[in-house]
Amino acid sequence: GRRPAPPVSDTELGQIAPAPADGEQVAGRLRRTTTFKTIGVSLGALALRAGGLCASLRPSALWAIWSKLHRAIDPRVHRTVHCQFALHFVVTAMQELFPLFCASTVHGLGLSPGELGGALAPLGISLLLWPLCIPALGRRIGMVGVFRLGVCLFLLVQIMIPALRLAQTHSASALWAGLIAVALVRGTAGVSSFTAITVIMNDILTGDIGFVNGYASSVCSLARAIAPTLMGSVFAVSARMELPFPLDFHLPFYILSVLCVGTLALSARFNAPRPQTASPARAVGSLRPVALVASLNGEPAPAANGFS
């Protein structure tokens, strides 16, 4: 008679016929590989186009762009762009540092993901409601005052965040009261400062508004690009080296505090007189209706947004 076939082990069976799950994994890897190749090809094509555009710009064209930029931007506008750079750097760095500080168990608060989400929830409330108060506040203290208020609140936030560890050692209620206060103040500061500096810059401009706003957007994008890497690295190095106060986890927040103080000092020159470079016809066309009537009557034009 015929001998029965020996039993096949699970290992040999897996070698003969792959399990259905293996086919799904292979298909998933193929899809991911195809996606990465598509993204790589798209980025490569974009880089080639950008390189070709830069190569096609002659030195005369680059000089023309720089000359237009130099003519269009007076020192007052440069100061507003510098303030925007500082604001975007502070806000982007804070978006990087706050979750790191809250999640770190050694140099932070050791919050869970759910607790971190609860700590950020009040931020949305302030971002939703505080813009409704900006017009009345601007009429009362001027847009320059609103901007300085926002920067001062950012400075307060940089001092409050490291102090949350002291609140945590006191009680859980004190910690959550501090987290809610930080979130509300962050939202109020962001809405106040960003809204005000945009209004201030566009109030200064008498021409090339789109060009100057594009230049400001490029500068702000640069700040958002370098802030997370720079300040995240500072936090990581200070935490790993176990440096003493204030070079420990306090250091990145104190660096942002110094940047806020510098922004406040820069805003002190927002009330400088506007240079008289525009032609008479252009100057009359740029006046607001109230200022135009006052000038026709021989009266001094009222200042707007804190400008003289």
Side-chain angles (χ1 to χ4, degrees):
R2 300 176 60 184
R3 292 183 180 180
V8 181
S9 63
D10 294 339
T11 304
E12 294 175 345
L13 183 62
Q15 293 176 355
I16 296 173
D22 294 340
E24 296 178 0
Q25 293 176 1
V26 171
R29 285 196 295 268
L30 288 176
R31 285 194 296 268
R32 288 192 295 269
T33 304
T34 304
T35 303
F36 290 148
K37 287 183 178 179
T38 304
I39 295 175
V41 170
S42 300
L43 292 178
L46 182 62
L48 289 176
R49 291 183 180 181
L53 178 62
C54 294
S56 63
L57 290 176
R58 295 173 297 177
S60 59
L62 294 175
W63 178 254
I65 294 174
W66 172 252
S67 301
K68 184 177 181 181
L69 186 66
H70 182 73
R71 290 194 306 268
I73 301 181
D74 59 62
R76 282 157 46 94
V77 178
H78 273 301
R79 285 192 287 270
T80 62
V81 173
H82 295 162
C83 288
Q84 291 188 60
F85 177 89
L87 281 178
H88 282 267
F89 189 95
V90 169
V91 171
T92 309
M94 200 183 312
Q95 292 173 351
E96 173 76 11
L97 292 174
F98 186 73
L100 292 177
F101 175 74
C102 290
S104 176
T105 56
V106 179
H107 304 282
L109 304 177
L111 300 182
S112 65
E115 292 172 335
L116 179 58
L120 293 174
L123 177 63
I125 298 176
S126 60
L127 292 176
L128 176 65
L129 298 179
W130 186 247
L132 304 177
C133 305
I134 292 296
L137 187 63
R139 288 191 296 268
R140 187 172 183 85
I141 65 175
M143 278 300 168
V144 175
V146 174
F147 172 75
R148 291 170 181 165
L149 173 64
V151 177
C152 289
L153 292 178
F154 272 133
L155 177 60
L156 178 62
V157 168
Q158 308 310 323
I159 299 173
M160 290 174 62
I161 292 178
L164 291 175
R165 292 198 70 183
L166 297 177
Q168 188 180 34
T169 58
H170 186 270
S171 66
S173 300
L175 172 63
W176 280 101
L179 288 172
I180 293 173
V182 166
L184 292 175
V185 175
R186 278 181 63 185
T188 303
V191 172
S192 301
S193 55
F194 282 114
T195 304
I197 195 63
T198 303
V199 174
I200 290 170
M201 186 182 71
N202 285 278
D203 187 81
I204 296 175
L205 296 176
T206 57
D208 295 315
I209 295 177
F211 181 79
V212 177
N213 276 273
Y215 164 69
S217 298
S218 299
V219 172
C220 295
S221 298
L222 176 63
R224 288 185 174 274
I226 64 177
T229 303
L230 181 60
M231 301 312 297
S233 301
V234 171
F235 182 85
V237 171
S238 60
R240 184 174 63 250
M241 296 183 65
E242 299 290 343
L243 298 175
F245 176 85
L247 301 179
D248 53 357
F249 65 91
H250 295 82
L251 179 61
F253 298 103
Y254 290 166
I255 292 176
L256 297 181
S257 301
V258 173
L259 194 57
C260 291
V261 173
T263 305
L264 279 175
L266 197 60
S267 70
R269 303 187 62 185
F270 281 168
N271 290 323
R274 179 178 298 178
Q276 303 295 327
T277 57
S279 62
R282 186 176 182 180
V284 172
S286 64
L287 289 175
R288 295 175 299 278
V290 176
L292 180 59
V293 173
S295 64
L296 293 177
N297 294 332
E299 302 172 358
N305 300 332
F307 291 111
S308 55

